[in-house]
Amino acid sequence: WNGTELKQIEDAMHNEFFKDNNIKIKDIASGWNHNLVLTNDNKVYAFGKNEYGQCGIDDKTITTTPPVLVQGLDGINIQKIVCGANHSAVKSKDGKWFMFGKNDNNQCLTGDGRKCVNKAFCINDNVEREIKGEKIKQVLLGVDNTQIVVTNATSK
């Protein structure tokens, strides 16, 4: 961990927004300049730089403070959050993975040429179409890349 990541996590843990709104934090993930916060009621908040949509809001605001709810996840029970340098991923209880943020190398797996994804985009159909018979087990994010661990849908 470098000092910036530690400072971002400390900021999230002590952020007055969460305290003032009585929101309990379950997990935190940090990218280069953005953060995701998973709450005890399985909602995802984001704050920090949103230059590429990595905070999951369709707003041209470069920096988001206070934290905002990630768009496109209404009513979805989120269980896991992951941050890359400038892109993000979240996993729902039913195994759906959603991504948003920088996409100039198709790291959000849209396959449509978009450079940025500003609202949570479900990647399961795209991945399963490319790798027939496989299901997403895990998503790992790097600087400008995404790694997908898959498992055979028929295996136990």
Side-chain angles (χ1 to χ4, degrees), residues 136-148:
I136 301 171
K137 183 175 182 180
Q138 188 172 356
V139 173
L140 306 157
L141 306 182
V143 175
D144 280 332
N145 65 311
T146 298
Q147 301 292 317
I148 305 291

Side-chain angles (χ1 to χ4, degrees), residues 67-84:
V68 294
L69 280 170
V70 171
Q71 293 177 345
L73 300 175
D74 295 339
I76 299 173
N77 187 339
I78 301 299
Q79 300 293 308
K80 182 175 179 76
I81 55 176
V82 183
C83 287

Side-chain angles (χ1 to χ4, degrees), residues 1-9 11 30-33 35:
W1 290 39
N2 67 34
T4 302
E5 289 172 329
L6 188 55
K7 175 71 171 126
Q8 288 175 339
I9 289 173
D11 288 347
S30 293
W32 268 350
N33 292 297
N35 307 277

Side-chain angles (χ1 to χ4, degrees), residues 11-136:
D11 288 347
M13 297 289 286
H14 297 95
N15 192 306
E16 295 299 318
F17 172 84
F18 296 106
K19 211 181 302 182
D20 291 347
N21 290 287
N22 198 29
I23 297 171
K24 305 294 183 206
I25 297 173
K26 184 189 295 187
D27 196 11
I28 300 169
S30 293
W32 268 350
N33 292 297
H34 75 289
N35 307 277
L36 295 182
V37 174
L38 179 61
T39 64
N40 280 352
D41 60 354
N42 302 315
K43 293 181 181 174
V44 181
Y45 287 84
F47 63 97
K49 276 194 173 180
N50 189 49
E51 183 177 2
Y52 304 104
Q54 63 266 46
C55 288
I57 59 168
D58 191 18
D59 186 342
K60 299 303 177 197
T61 304
I62 296 297
T63 304
T64 59
T65 51
V68 294
L69 280 170
V70 171
Q71 293 177 345
L73 300 175
D74 295 339
I76 299 173
N77 187 339
I78 301 299
Q79 300 293 308
K80 182 175 179 76
I81 55 176
V82 183
C83 287
N86 291 302
H87 61 309
S88 305
V90 301
K91 181 184 180 187
S92 69
K93 184 176 182 179
D94 64 356
K96 297 287 186 191
W97 282 91
F98 298 84
M99 294 189 69
F100 42 96
K102 192 174 181 183
N103 194 46
D104 57 347
N105 293 315
N106 197 38
Q107 57 266 53
C108 289
L109 307 173
T110 62
D112 60 9
R114 281 187 276 174
K115 300 293 183 197
C116 299
V117 179
N118 297 323
K119 181 177 159 185
F121 171 82
C122 184
I123 66 169
N124 291 64
D125 288 344
N126 285 0
V127 170
E128 291 165 16
R129 186 174 31 258
E130 289 294 319
I131 310 171
K132 293 170 180 50
E134 305 290 327
K135 297 288 182 192
I136 301 171

Side-chain angles (χ1 to χ4, degrees), residues 151-156:
T151 184
N152 189 293
T154 58
S155 66
K156 295 184 181 188

